Amino acid sequence: ALSSNGEMQLLPAGEFRTGDTRPAECACWITNADIAATLIADIASRDNPVVVDYEHQTFLAATNGKPAPAAGWFTAEHMEWREGQGLFVRVEWTEAAKLHIESGEYKFISPVFNYDKKTGAVIKIINAALTNNPAIDGMEEVSARLTASLTQQETLSMDIEELSEDLRWMLN
């Protein structure tokens, strides 16, 4: 059946840059298997999961006064390096984020990370954001659901009144 978790590419493999002038201090950013192992170990050492927000609002909230709701969360146990592709995570999306992703309102992810200013090696993942204008071109689209292999046919049904009530609650 369908998973409530979604898989996404957090960082591409190899050397990468943004479409603007970043990074300015080095030729490019870099991720590889060794760097990914260090990033995963760092996240594993944290008590709290890593937040995925909307449009980097976690960093903007202090200046614009708007709330910074989470779109989802991820931990080290659901991270993996894929050679030639990059660092992937499985995110536990909120119900609201799943609706945004499934309807096509959000398609991309924008990671926030620290890096070595001399080598460009990514050294720490801060968080990530759902966005439609990612700075890193070529990132894979976000998927709200993992592909599931169905061993039996299932039929899901929901009362229309229950669905309407849930939508009214989510939209406040």
mmCIF file with all atom_site columns, all heavy atoms in Angstrom, residues 10 39-40 42-52 72-80 87-92:
data_model
loop_
_atom_site.group_PDB
_atom_site.id
_atom_site.type_symbol
_atom_site.label_atom_id
_atom_site.label_alt_id
_atom_site.label_comp_id
_atom_site.label_asym_id
_atom_site.label_entity_id
_atom_site.label_seq_id
_atom_site.pdbx_PDB_ins_code
_atom_site.Cartn_x
_atom_site.Cartn_y
_atom_site.Cartn_z
_atom_site.occupancy
_atom_site.B_iso_or_equiv
_atom_site.pdbx_formal_charge
_atom_site.auth_seq_id
_atom_site.auth_comp_id
_atom_site.auth_asym_id
_atom_site.auth_atom_id
_atom_site.pdbx_PDB_model_num
ATOM 1   N N   . LEU A 1 10 ? 18.595 14.755 -1.307 1.00 0.00 ? 10 LEU A N   1
ATOM 2   C CA  . LEU A 1 10 ? 18.979 15.904 -0.480 1.00 0.00 ? 10 LEU A CA  1
ATOM 3   C C   . LEU A 1 10 ? 20.160 16.659 -1.085 1.00 0.00 ? 10 LEU A C   1
ATOM 4   O O   . LEU A 1 10 ? 20.166 17.888 -1.104 1.00 0.00 ? 10 LEU A O   1
ATOM 5   C CB  . LEU A 1 10 ? 19.311 15.432 0.937  1.00 0.00 ? 10 LEU A CB  1
ATOM 6   C CG  . LEU A 1 10 ? 19.573 16.511 1.964  1.00 0.00 ? 10 LEU A CG  1
ATOM 7   C CD1 . LEU A 1 10 ? 18.348 17.386 2.169  1.00 0.00 ? 10 LEU A CD1 1
ATOM 8   C CD2 . LEU A 1 10 ? 20.006 15.890 3.280  1.00 0.00 ? 10 LEU A CD2 1
ATOM 9   N N   . LEU A 1 39 ? 28.205 13.027 7.096  1.00 0.00 ? 39 LEU A N   1
ATOM 10  C CA  . LEU A 1 39 ? 26.959 13.770 7.284  1.00 0.00 ? 39 LEU A CA  1
ATOM 11  C C   . LEU A 1 39 ? 25.914 12.921 7.997  1.00 0.00 ? 39 LEU A C   1
ATOM 12  O O   . LEU A 1 39 ? 25.218 13.392 8.898  1.00 0.00 ? 39 LEU A O   1
ATOM 13  C CB  . LEU A 1 39 ? 26.414 14.250 5.936  1.00 0.00 ? 39 LEU A CB  1
ATOM 14  C CG  . LEU A 1 39 ? 27.283 15.253 5.180  1.00 0.00 ? 39 LEU A CG  1
ATOM 15  C CD1 . LEU A 1 39 ? 26.740 15.477 3.768  1.00 0.00 ? 39 LEU A CD1 1
ATOM 16  C CD2 . LEU A 1 39 ? 27.395 16.559 5.942  1.00 0.00 ? 39 LEU A CD2 1
ATOM 17  N N   . ILE A 1 40 ? 25.809 11.667 7.588  1.00 0.00 ? 40 ILE A N   1
ATOM 18  C CA  . ILE A 1 40 ? 24.845 10.757 8.216  1.00 0.00 ? 40 ILE A CA  1
ATOM 19  C C   . ILE A 1 40 ? 25.211 10.530 9.680  1.00 0.00 ? 40 ILE A C   1
ATOM 20  O O   . ILE A 1 40 ? 24.339 10.544 10.554 1.00 0.00 ? 40 ILE A O   1
ATOM 21  C CB  . ILE A 1 40 ? 24.766 9.432  7.429  1.00 0.00 ? 40 ILE A CB  1
ATOM 22  C CG1 . ILE A 1 40 ? 24.144 9.684  6.044  1.00 0.00 ? 40 ILE A CG1 1
ATOM 23  C CG2 . ILE A 1 40 ? 23.955 8.383  8.207  1.00 0.00 ? 40 ILE A CG2 1
ATOM 24  C CD1 . ILE A 1 40 ? 24.253 8.513  5.083  1.00 0.00 ? 40 ILE A CD1 1
ATOM 25  N N   . ASP A 1 42 ? 26.797 12.574 11.644 1.00 0.00 ? 42 ASP A N   1
ATOM 26  C CA  . ASP A 1 42 ? 26.489 13.804 12.373 1.00 0.00 ? 42 ASP A CA  1
ATOM 27  C C   . ASP A 1 42 ? 24.997 13.862 12.722 1.00 0.00 ? 42 ASP A C   1
ATOM 28  O O   . ASP A 1 42 ? 24.626 14.182 13.848 1.00 0.00 ? 42 ASP A O   1
ATOM 29  C CB  . ASP A 1 42 ? 26.889 15.028 11.551 1.00 0.00 ? 42 ASP A CB  1
ATOM 30  C CG  . ASP A 1 42 ? 26.494 16.320 12.240 1.00 0.00 ? 42 ASP A CG  1
ATOM 31  O OD1 . ASP A 1 42 ? 26.981 16.585 13.367 1.00 0.00 ? 42 ASP A OD1 1
ATOM 32  O OD2 . ASP A 1 42 ? 25.667 17.067 11.668 1.00 0.00 ? 42 ASP A OD2 1
ATOM 33  N N   . ILE A 1 43 ? 24.157 13.538 11.755 1.00 0.00 ? 43 ILE A N   1
ATOM 34  C CA  . ILE A 1 43 ? 22.712 13.571 12.021 1.00 0.00 ? 43 ILE A CA  1
ATOM 35  C C   . ILE A 1 43 ? 22.323 12.485 13.018 1.00 0.00 ? 43 ILE A C   1
ATOM 36  O O   . ILE A 1 43 ? 21.466 12.692 13.873 1.00 0.00 ? 43 ILE A O   1
ATOM 37  C CB  . ILE A 1 43 ? 21.924 13.488 10.703 1.00 0.00 ? 43 ILE A CB  1
ATOM 38  C CG1 . ILE A 1 43 ? 22.100 14.819 9.955  1.00 0.00 ? 43 ILE A CG1 1
ATOM 39  C CG2 . ILE A 1 43 ? 20.440 13.191 10.945 1.00 0.00 ? 43 ILE A CG2 1
ATOM 40  C CD1 . ILE A 1 43 ? 21.508 14.875 8.590  1.00 0.00 ? 43 ILE A CD1 1
ATOM 41  N N   . ALA A 1 44 ? 23.001 11.340 12.952 1.00 0.00 ? 44 ALA A N   1
ATOM 42  C CA  . ALA A 1 44 ? 22.731 10.261 13.909 1.00 0.00 ? 44 ALA A CA  1
ATOM 43  C C   . ALA A 1 44 ? 23.075 10.668 15.336 1.00 0.00 ? 44 ALA A C   1
ATOM 44  O O   . ALA A 1 44 ? 22.468 10.176 16.295 1.00 0.00 ? 44 ALA A O   1
ATOM 45  C CB  . ALA A 1 44 ? 23.511 9.008  13.515 1.00 0.00 ? 44 ALA A CB  1
ATOM 46  N N   . SER A 1 45 ? 24.019 11.592 15.490 1.00 0.00 ? 45 SER A N   1
ATOM 47  C CA  . SER A 1 45 ? 24.420 12.031 16.835 1.00 0.00 ? 45 SER A CA  1
ATOM 48  C C   . SER A 1 45 ? 23.432 13.039 17.439 1.00 0.00 ? 45 SER A C   1
ATOM 49  O O   . SER A 1 45 ? 23.515 13.353 18.619 1.00 0.00 ? 45 SER A O   1
ATOM 50  C CB  . SER A 1 45 ? 25.818 12.649 16.788 1.00 0.00 ? 45 SER A CB  1
ATOM 51  O OG  . SER A 1 45 ? 25.794 13.918 16.157 1.00 0.00 ? 45 SER A OG  1
ATOM 52  N N   . ARG A 1 46 ? 22.509 13.545 16.645 1.00 0.00 ? 46 ARG A N   1
ATOM 53  C CA  . ARG A 1 46 ? 21.535 14.525 17.132 1.00 0.00 ? 46 ARG A CA  1
ATOM 54  C C   . ARG A 1 46 ? 20.362 13.826 17.812 1.00 0.00 ? 46 ARG A C   1
ATOM 55  O O   . ARG A 1 46 ? 19.957 12.736 17.409 1.00 0.00 ? 46 ARG A O   1
ATOM 56  C CB  . ARG A 1 46 ? 20.982 15.364 15.970 1.00 0.00 ? 46 ARG A CB  1
ATOM 57  C CG  . ARG A 1 46 ? 22.026 16.127 15.198 1.00 0.00 ? 46 ARG A CG  1
ATOM 58  C CD  . ARG A 1 46 ? 21.368 16.909 14.080 1.00 0.00 ? 46 ARG A CD  1
ATOM 59  N NE  . ARG A 1 46 ? 22.343 17.402 13.118 1.00 0.00 ? 46 ARG A NE  1
ATOM 60  C CZ  . ARG A 1 46 ? 22.032 18.111 12.059 1.00 0.00 ? 46 ARG A CZ  1
ATOM 61  N NH1 . ARG A 1 46 ? 20.770 18.445 11.817 1.00 0.00 ? 46 ARG A NH1 1
ATOM 62  N NH2 . ARG A 1 46 ? 22.966 18.518 11.232 1.00 0.00 ? 46 ARG A NH2 1
ATOM 63  N N   . ASP A 1 47 ? 19.799 14.476 18.813 1.00 0.00 ? 47 ASP A N   1
ATOM 64  C CA  . ASP A 1 47 ? 18.610 13.940 19.468 1.00 0.00 ? 47 ASP A CA  1
ATOM 65  C C   . ASP A 1 47 ? 17.350 14.208 18.653 1.00 0.00 ? 47 ASP A C   1
ATOM 66  O O   . ASP A 1 47 ? 16.439 13.389 18.629 1.00 0.00 ? 47 ASP A O   1
ATOM 67  C CB  . ASP A 1 47 ? 18.436 14.556 20.864 1.00 0.00 ? 47 ASP A CB  1
ATOM 68  C CG  . ASP A 1 47 ? 19.494 14.066 21.840 1.00 0.00 ? 47 ASP A CG  1
ATOM 69  O OD1 . ASP A 1 47 ? 20.011 12.935 21.650 1.00 0.00 ? 47 ASP A OD1 1
ATOM 70  O OD2 . ASP A 1 47 ? 19.822 14.809 22.775 1.00 0.00 ? 47 ASP A OD2 1
ATOM 71  N N   . ASN A 1 48 ? 17.290 15.358 17.997 1.00 0.00 ? 48 ASN A N   1
ATOM 72  C CA  . ASN A 1 48 ? 16.094 15.751 17.254 1.00 0.00 ? 48 ASN A CA  1
ATOM 73  C C   . ASN A 1 48 ? 16.222 15.413 15.771 1.00 0.00 ? 48 ASN A C   1
ATOM 74  O O   . ASN A 1 48 ? 17.318 15.482 15.213 1.00 0.00 ? 48 ASN A O   1
ATOM 75  C CB  . ASN A 1 48 ? 15.850 17.253 17.383 1.00 0.00 ? 48 ASN A CB  1
ATOM 76  C CG  . ASN A 1 48 ? 15.523 17.661 18.797 1.00 0.00 ? 48 ASN A CG  1
ATOM 77  O OD1 . ASN A 1 48 ? 15.018 16.880 19.584 1.00 0.00 ? 48 ASN A OD1 1
ATOM 78  N ND2 . ASN A 1 48 ? 15.817 18.904 19.132 1.00 0.00 ? 48 ASN A ND2 1
ATOM 79  N N   . PRO A 1 49 ? 15.095 15.124 15.131 1.00 0.00 ? 49 PRO A N   1
ATOM 80  C CA  . PRO A 1 49 ? 15.137 14.911 13.680 1.00 0.00 ? 49 PRO A CA  1
ATOM 81  C C   . PRO A 1 49 ? 15.384 16.242 12.967 1.00 0.00 ? 49 PRO A C   1
ATOM 82  O O   . PRO A 1 49 ? 15.250 17.313 13.551 1.00 0.00 ? 49 PRO A O   1
ATOM 83  C CB  . PRO A 1 49 ? 13.746 14.356 13.363 1.00 0.00 ? 49 PRO A CB  1
ATOM 84  C CG  . PRO A 1 49 ? 12.878 14.857 14.457 1.00 0.00 ? 49 PRO A CG  1
ATOM 85  C CD  . PRO A 1 49 ? 13.750 14.968 15.673 1.00 0.00 ? 49 PRO A CD  1
ATOM 86  N N   . VAL A 1 50 ? 15.745 16.157 11.695 1.00 0.00 ? 50 VAL A N   1
ATOM 87  C CA  . VAL A 1 50 ? 16.011 17.344 10.880 1.00 0.00 ? 50 VAL A CA  1
ATOM 88  C C   . VAL A 1 50 ? 14.703 17.795 10.242 1.00 0.00 ? 50 VAL A C   1
ATOM 89  O O   . VAL A 1 50 ? 13.958 16.991 9.682  1.00 0.00 ? 50 VAL A O   1
ATOM 90  C CB  . VAL A 1 50 ? 17.064 17.039 9.789  1.00 0.00 ? 50 VAL A CB  1
ATOM 91  C CG1 . VAL A 1 50 ? 17.322 18.267 8.924  1.00 0.00 ? 50 VAL A CG1 1
ATOM 92  C CG2 . VAL A 1 50 ? 18.358 16.542 10.426 1.00 0.00 ? 50 VAL A CG2 1
ATOM 93  N N   . VAL A 1 51 ? 14.424 19.083 10.307 1.00 0.00 ? 51 VAL A N   1
ATOM 94  C CA  . VAL A 1 51 ? 13.182 19.622 9.760  1.00 0.00 ? 51 VAL A CA  1
ATOM 95  C C   . VAL A 1 51 ? 13.309 19.907 8.266  1.00 0.00 ? 51 VAL A C   1
ATOM 96  O O   . VAL A 1 51 ? 14.357 20.324 7.784  1.00 0.00 ? 51 VAL A O   1
ATOM 97  C CB  . VAL A 1 51 ? 12.741 20.909 10.506 1.00 0.00 ? 51 VAL A CB  1
ATOM 98  C CG1 . VAL A 1 51 ? 13.689 22.067 10.249 1.00 0.00 ? 51 VAL A CG1 1
ATOM 99  C CG2 . VAL A 1 51 ? 11.312 21.290 10.135 1.00 0.00 ? 51 VAL A CG2 1
ATOM 100 N N   . VAL A 1 52 ? 12.221 19.651 7.569  1.00 0.00 ? 52 VAL A N   1
ATOM 101 C CA  . VAL A 1 52 ? 12.042 20.128 6.202  1.00 0.00 ? 52 VAL A CA  1
ATOM 102 C C   . VAL A 1 52 ? 10.898 21.128 6.306  1.00 0.00 ? 52 VAL A C   1
ATOM 103 O O   . VAL A 1 52 ? 9.797  20.779 6.740  1.00 0.00 ? 52 VAL A O   1
ATOM 104 C CB  . VAL A 1 52 ? 11.662 18.990 5.233  1.00 0.00 ? 52 VAL A CB  1
ATOM 105 C CG1 . VAL A 1 52 ? 11.466 19.538 3.821  1.00 0.00 ? 52 VAL A CG1 1
ATOM 106 C CG2 . VAL A 1 52 ? 12.722 17.897 5.240  1.00 0.00 ? 52 VAL A CG2 1
ATOM 107 N N   . GLY A 1 72 ? 7.952  18.306 7.067  1.00 0.00 ? 72 GLY A N   1
ATOM 108 C CA  . GLY A 1 72 ? 8.321  16.938 7.387  1.00 0.00 ? 72 GLY A CA  1
ATOM 109 C C   . GLY A 1 72 ? 9.586  16.888 8.206  1.00 0.00 ? 72 GLY A C   1
ATOM 110 O O   . GLY A 1 72 ? 10.160 17.924 8.552  1.00 0.00 ? 72 GLY A O   1
ATOM 111 N N   . TRP A 1 73 ? 10.009 15.660 8.500  1.00 0.00 ? 73 TRP A N   1
ATOM 112 C CA  . TRP A 1 73 ? 11.171 15.426 9.344  1.00 0.00 ? 73 TRP A CA  1
ATOM 113 C C   . TRP A 1 73 ? 11.936 14.217 8.811  1.00 0.00 ? 73 TRP A C   1
ATOM 114 O O   . TRP A 1 73 ? 11.339 13.308 8.258  1.00 0.00 ? 73 TRP A O   1
ATOM 115 C CB  . TRP A 1 73 ? 10.735 15.124 10.776 1.00 0.00 ? 73 TRP A CB  1
ATOM 116 C CG  . TRP A 1 73 ? 9.853  16.179 11.368 1.00 0.00 ? 73 TRP A CG  1
ATOM 117 C CD1 . TRP A 1 73 ? 8.482  16.220 11.340 1.00 0.00 ? 73 TRP A CD1 1
ATOM 118 C CD2 . TRP A 1 73 ? 10.259 17.348 12.071 1.00 0.00 ? 73 TRP A CD2 1
ATOM 119 N NE1 . TRP A 1 73 ? 8.030  17.344 11.989 1.00 0.00 ? 73 TRP A NE1 1
ATOM 120 C CE2 . TRP A 1 73 ? 9.105  18.048 12.448 1.00 0.00 ? 73 TRP A CE2 1
ATOM 121 C CE3 . TRP A 1 73 ? 11.505 17.859 12.422 1.00 0.00 ? 73 TRP A CE3 1
ATOM 122 C CZ2 . TRP A 1 73 ? 9.154  19.245 13.160 1.00 0.00 ? 73 TRP A CZ2 1
ATOM 123 C CZ3 . TRP A 1 73 ? 11.550 19.044 13.133 1.00 0.00 ? 73 TRP A CZ3 1
ATOM 124 C CH2 . TRP A 1 73 ? 10.378 19.721 13.491 1.00 0.00 ? 73 TRP A CH2 1
ATOM 125 N N   . PHE A 1 74 ? 13.258 14.206 9.011  1.00 0.00 ? 74 PHE A N   1
ATOM 126 C CA  . PHE A 1 74 ? 14.021 13.002 8.683  1.00 0.00 ? 74 PHE A CA  1
ATOM 127 C C   . PHE A 1 74 ? 15.129 12.769 9.700  1.00 0.00 ? 74 PHE A C   1
ATOM 128 O O   . PHE A 1 74 ? 15.545 13.679 10.408 1.00 0.00 ? 74 PHE A O   1
ATOM 129 C CB  . PHE A 1 74 ? 14.569 13.035 7.250  1.00 0.00 ? 74 PHE A CB  1
ATOM 130 C CG  . PHE A 1 74 ? 15.619 14.079 6.963  1.00 0.00 ? 74 PHE A CG  1
ATOM 131 C CD1 . PHE A 1 74 ? 16.966 13.807 7.165  1.00 0.00 ? 74 PHE A CD1 1
ATOM 132 C CD2 . PHE A 1 74 ? 15.261 15.314 6.447  1.00 0.00 ? 74 PHE A CD2 1
ATOM 133 C CE1 . PHE A 1 74 ? 17.933 14.755 6.877  1.00 0.00 ? 74 PHE A CE1 1
ATOM 134 C CE2 . PHE A 1 74 ? 16.226 16.266 6.144  1.00 0.00 ? 74 PHE A CE2 1
ATOM 135 C CZ  . PHE A 1 74 ? 17.571 15.983 6.362  1.00 0.00 ? 74 PHE A CZ  1
ATOM 136 N N   . THR A 1 75 ? 15.557 11.519 9.772  1.00 0.00 ? 75 THR A N   1
ATOM 137 C CA  . THR A 1 75 ? 16.615 11.103 10.686 1.00 0.00 ? 75 THR A CA  1
ATOM 138 C C   . THR A 1 75 ? 17.685 10.350 9.895  1.00 0.00 ? 75 THR A C   1
ATOM 139 O O   . THR A 1 75 ? 17.482 9.984  8.734  1.00 0.00 ? 75 THR A O   1
ATOM 140 C CB  . THR A 1 75 ? 16.068 10.186 11.790 1.00 0.00 ? 75 THR A CB  1
ATOM 141 O OG1 . THR A 1 75 ? 15.518 9.015  11.179 1.00 0.00 ? 75 THR A OG1 1
ATOM 142 C CG2 . THR A 1 75 ? 15.005 10.895 12.633 1.00 0.00 ? 75 THR A CG2 1
ATOM 143 N N   . ALA A 1 76 ? 18.796 10.077 10.548 1.00 0.00 ? 76 ALA A N   1
ATOM 144 C CA  . ALA A 1 76 ? 19.919 9.392  9.902  1.00 0.00 ? 76 ALA A CA  1
ATOM 145 C C   . ALA A 1 76 ? 19.564 7.974  9.481  1.00 0.00 ? 76 ALA A C   1
ATOM 146 O O   . ALA A 1 76 ? 20.089 7.477  8.483  1.00 0.00 ? 76 ALA A O   1
ATOM 147 C CB  . ALA A 1 76 ? 21.118 9.366  10.840 1.00 0.00 ? 76 ALA A CB  1
ATOM 148 N N   . GLU A 1 77 ? 18.679 7.334  10.220 1.00 0.00 ? 77 GLU A N   1
ATOM 149 C CA  . GLU A 1 77 ? 18.358 5.938  9.891  1.00 0.00 ? 77 GLU A CA  1
ATOM 150 C C   . GLU A 1 77 ? 17.685 5.798  8.530  1.00 0.00 ? 77 GLU A C   1
ATOM 151 O O   . GLU A 1 77 ? 17.671 4.703  7.972  1.00 0.00 ? 77 GLU A O   1
ATOM 152 C CB  . GLU A 1 77 ? 17.516 5.289  10.982 1.00 0.00 ? 77 GLU A CB  1
ATOM 153 C CG  . GLU A 1 77 ? 16.103 5.814  11.073 1.00 0.00 ? 77 GLU A CG  1
ATOM 154 C CD  . GLU A 1 77 ? 15.309 5.157  12.191 1.00 0.00 ? 77 GLU A CD  1
ATOM 155 O OE1 . GLU A 1 77 ? 15.312 3.921  12.295 1.00 0.00 ? 77 GLU A OE1 1
ATOM 156 O OE2 . GLU A 1 77 ? 14.700 5.916  12.962 1.00 0.00 ? 77 GLU A OE2 1
ATOM 157 N N   . HIS A 1 78 ? 17.170 6.896  7.997  1.00 0.00 ? 78 HIS A N   1
ATOM 158 C CA  . HIS A 1 78 ? 16.518 6.858  6.685  1.00 0.00 ? 78 HIS A CA  1
ATOM 159 C C   . HIS A 1 78 ? 17.287 7.662  5.645  1.00 0.00 ? 78 HIS A C   1
ATOM 160 O O   . HIS A 1 78 ? 16.699 8.281  4.767  1.00 0.00 ? 78 HIS A O   1
ATOM 161 C CB  . HIS A 1 78 ? 15.073 7.339  6.798  1.00 0.00 ? 78 HIS A CB  1
ATOM 162 C CG  . HIS A 1 78 ? 14.244 6.476  7.680  1.00 0.00 ? 78 HIS A CG  1
ATOM 163 N ND1 . HIS A 1 78 ? 13.932 5.178  7.378  1.00 0.00 ? 78 HIS A ND1 1
ATOM 164 C CD2 . HIS A 1 78 ? 13.696 6.726  8.891  1.00 0.00 ? 78 HIS A CD2 1
ATOM 165 C CE1 . HIS A 1 78 ? 13.214 4.660  8.357  1.00 0.00 ? 78 HIS A CE1 1
ATOM 166 N NE2 . HIS A 1 78 ? 13.063 5.577  9.287  1.00 0.00 ? 78 HIS A NE2 1
ATOM 167 N N   . MET A 1 79 ? 18.614 7.647  5.775  1.00 0.00 ? 79 MET A N   1
ATOM 168 C CA  . MET A 1 79 ? 19.469 8.342  4.809  1.00 0.00 ? 79 MET A CA  1
ATOM 169 C C   . MET A 1 79 ? 20.355 7.314  4.126  1.00 0.00 ? 79 MET A C   1
ATOM 170 O O   . MET A 1 79 ? 20.804 6.358  4.759  1.00 0.00 ? 79 MET A O   1
ATOM 171 C CB  . MET A 1 79 ? 20.342 9.378  5.521  1.00 0.00 ? 79 MET A CB  1
ATOM 172 C CG  . MET A 1 79 ? 19.559 10.484 6.192  1.00 0.00 ? 79 MET A CG  1
ATOM 173 S SD  . MET A 1 79 ? 20.635 11.643 7.061  1.00 0.00 ? 79 MET A SD  1
ATOM 174 C CE  . MET A 1 79 ? 21.323 12.545 5.675  1.00 0.00 ? 79 MET A CE  1
ATOM 175 N N   . GLU A 1 80 ? 20.629 7.541  2.839  1.00 0.00 ? 80 GLU A N   1
ATOM 176 C CA  . GLU A 1 80 ? 21.547 6.635  2.148  1.00 0.00 ? 80 GLU A CA  1
ATOM 177 C C   . GLU A 1 80 ? 22.254 7.343  1.004  1.00 0.00 ? 80 GLU A C   1
ATOM 178 O O   . GLU A 1 80 ? 21.685 8.218  0.343  1.00 0.00 ? 80 GLU A O   1
ATOM 179 C CB  . GLU A 1 80 ? 20.835 5.386  1.652  1.00 0.00 ? 80 GLU A CB  1
ATOM 180 C CG  . GLU A 1 80 ? 20.103 5.538  0.351  1.00 0.00 ? 80 GLU A CG  1
ATOM 181 C CD  . GLU A 1 80 ? 19.544 4.237  -0.195 1.00 0.00 ? 80 GLU A CD  1
ATOM 182 O OE1 . GLU A 1 80 ? 20.272 3.231  -0.280 1.00 0.00 ? 80 GLU A OE1 1
ATOM 183 O OE2 . GLU A 1 80 ? 18.356 4.243  -0.543 1.00 0.00 ? 80 GLU A OE2 1
ATOM 184 N N   . LEU A 1 87 ? 22.988 11.967 -2.066 1.00 0.00 ? 87 LEU A N   1
ATOM 185 C CA  . LEU A 1 87 ? 22.502 11.622 -0.746 1.00 0.00 ? 87 LEU A CA  1
ATOM 186 C C   . LEU A 1 87 ? 20.982 11.709 -0.739 1.00 0.00 ? 87 LEU A C   1
ATOM 187 O O   . LEU A 1 87 ? 20.411 12.749 -1.074 1.00 0.00 ? 87 LEU A O   1
ATOM 188 C CB  . LEU A 1 87 ? 23.096 12.566 0.304  1.00 0.00 ? 87 LEU A CB  1
ATOM 189 C CG  . LEU A 1 87 ? 22.753 12.294 1.759  1.00 0.00 ? 87 LEU A CG  1
ATOM 190 C CD1 . LEU A 1 87 ? 23.198 10.891 2.186  1.00 0.00 ? 87 LEU A CD1 1
ATOM 191 C CD2 . LEU A 1 87 ? 23.389 13.346 2.652  1.00 0.00 ? 87 LEU A CD2 1
ATOM 192 N N   . PHE A 1 88 ? 20.331 10.619 -0.368 1.00 0.00 ? 88 PHE A N   1
ATOM 193 C CA  . PHE A 1 88 ? 18.878 10.546 -0.344 1.00 0.00 ? 88 PHE A CA  1
ATOM 194 C C   . PHE A 1 88 ? 18.386 10.342 1.078  1.00 0.00 ? 88 PHE A C   1
ATOM 195 O O   . PHE A 1 88 ? 19.066 9.730  1.902  1.00 0.00 ? 88 PHE A O   1
ATOM 196 C CB  . PHE A 1 88 ? 18.387 9.385  -1.221 1.00 0.00 ? 88 PHE A CB  1
ATOM 197 C CG  . PHE A 1 88 ? 18.469 9.675  -2.692 1.00 0.00 ? 88 PHE A CG  1
ATOM 198 C CD1 . PHE A 1 88 ? 19.689 9.691  -3.350 1.00 0.00 ? 88 PHE A CD1 1
ATOM 199 C CD2 . PHE A 1 88 ? 17.318 9.955  -3.416 1.00 0.00 ? 88 PHE A CD2 1
ATOM 200 C CE1 . PHE A 1 88 ? 19.777 9.969  -4.709 1.00 0.00 ? 88 PHE A CE1 1
ATOM 201 C CE2 . PHE A 1 88 ? 17.388 10.239 -4.768 1.00 0.00 ? 88 PHE A CE2 1
ATOM 202 C CZ  . PHE A 1 88 ? 18.624 10.246 -5.419 1.00 0.00 ? 88 PHE A CZ  1
ATOM 203 N N   . VAL A 1 89 ? 17.196 10.867 1.345  1.00 0.00 ? 89 VAL A N   1
ATOM 204 C CA  . VAL A 1 89 ? 16.563 10.690 2.650  1.00 0.00 ? 89 VAL A CA  1
ATOM 205 C C   . VAL A 1 89 ? 15.105 10.290 2.442  1.00 0.00 ? 89 VAL A C   1
ATOM 206 O O   . VAL A 1 89 ? 14.512 10.590 1.404  1.00 0.00 ? 89 VAL A O   1
ATOM 207 C CB  . VAL A 1 89 ? 16.612 11.974 3.517  1.00 0.00 ? 89 VAL A CB  1
ATOM 208 C CG1 . VAL A 1 89 ? 18.046 12.364 3.823  1.00 0.00 ? 89 VAL A CG1 1
ATOM 209 C CG2 . VAL A 1 89 ? 15.881 13.122 2.877  1.00 0.00 ? 89 VAL A CG2 1
ATOM 210 N N   . ARG A 1 90 ? 14.571 9.609  3.422  1.00 0.00 ? 90 ARG A N   1
ATOM 211 C CA  . ARG A 1 90 ? 13.139 9.332  3.426  1.00 0.00 ? 90 ARG A CA  1
ATOM 212 C C   . ARG A 1 90 ? 12.542 10.224 4.497  1.00 0.00 ? 90 ARG A C   1
ATOM 213 O O   . ARG A 1 90 ? 12.937 10.175 5.659  1.00 0.00 ? 90 ARG A O   1
ATOM 214 C CB  . ARG A 1 90 ? 12.853 7.863  3.710  1.00 0.00 ? 90 ARG A CB  1
ATOM 215 C CG  . ARG A 1 90 ? 11.395 7.519  3.384  1.00 0.00 ? 90 ARG A CG  1
ATOM 216 C CD  . ARG A 1 90 ? 11.135 6.046  3.450  1.00 0.00 ? 90 ARG A CD  1
ATOM 217 N NE  . ARG A 1 90 ? 11.092 5.646  4.840  1.00 0.00 ? 90 ARG A NE  1
ATOM 218 C CZ  . ARG A 1 90 ? 11.551 4.484  5.288  1.00 0.00 ? 90 ARG A CZ  1
ATOM 219 N NH1 . ARG A 1 90 ? 12.100 3.622  4.474  1.00 0.00 ? 90 ARG A NH1 1
ATOM 220 N NH2 . ARG A 1 90 ? 11.473 4.188  6.569  1.00 0.00 ? 90 ARG A NH2 1
ATOM 221 N N   . VAL A 1 91 ? 11.606 11.053 4.095  1.00 0.00 ? 91 VAL A N   1
ATOM 222 C CA  . VAL A 1 91 ? 11.015 12.067 4.967  1.00 0.00 ? 91 VAL A CA  1
ATOM 223 C C   . VAL A 1 91 ? 9.650  11.606 5.459  1.00 0.00 ? 91 VAL A C   1
ATOM 224 O O   . VAL A 1 91 ? 8.864  11.043 4.701  1.00 0.00 ? 91 VAL A O   1
ATOM 225 C CB  . VAL A 1 91 ? 10.857 13.405 4.205  1.00 0.00 ? 91 VAL A CB  1
ATOM 226 C CG1 . VAL A 1 91 ? 10.187 14.451 5.077  1.00 0.00 ? 91 VAL A CG1 1
ATOM 227 C CG2 . VAL A 1 91 ? 12.195 13.889 3.704  1.00 0.00 ? 91 VAL A CG2 1
ATOM 228 N N   . GLU A 1 92 ? 9.386  11.868 6.721  1.00 0.00 ? 92 GLU A N   1
ATOM 229 C CA  . GLU A 1 92 ? 8.045  11.670 7.260  1.00 0.00 ? 92 GLU A CA  1
ATOM 230 C C   . GLU A 1 92 ? 7.309  12.991 7.040  1.00 0.00 ? 92 GLU A C   1
ATOM 231 O O   . GLU A 1 92 ? 7.484  13.957 7.783  1.00 0.00 ? 92 GLU A O   1
ATOM 232 C CB  . GLU A 1 92 ? 8.106  11.332 8.750  1.00 0.00 ? 92 GLU A CB  1
ATOM 233 C CG  . GLU A 1 92 ? 6.754  11.068 9.349  1.00 0.00 ? 92 GLU A CG  1
ATOM 234 C CD  . GLU A 1 92 ? 6.829  10.773 10.836 1.00 0.00 ? 92 GLU A CD  1
ATOM 235 O OE1 . GLU A 1 92 ? 7.869  10.323 11.333 1.00 0.00 ? 92 GLU A OE1 1
ATOM 236 O OE2 . GLU A 1 92 ? 5.803  11.025 11.509 1.00 0.00 ? 92 GLU A OE2 1
#
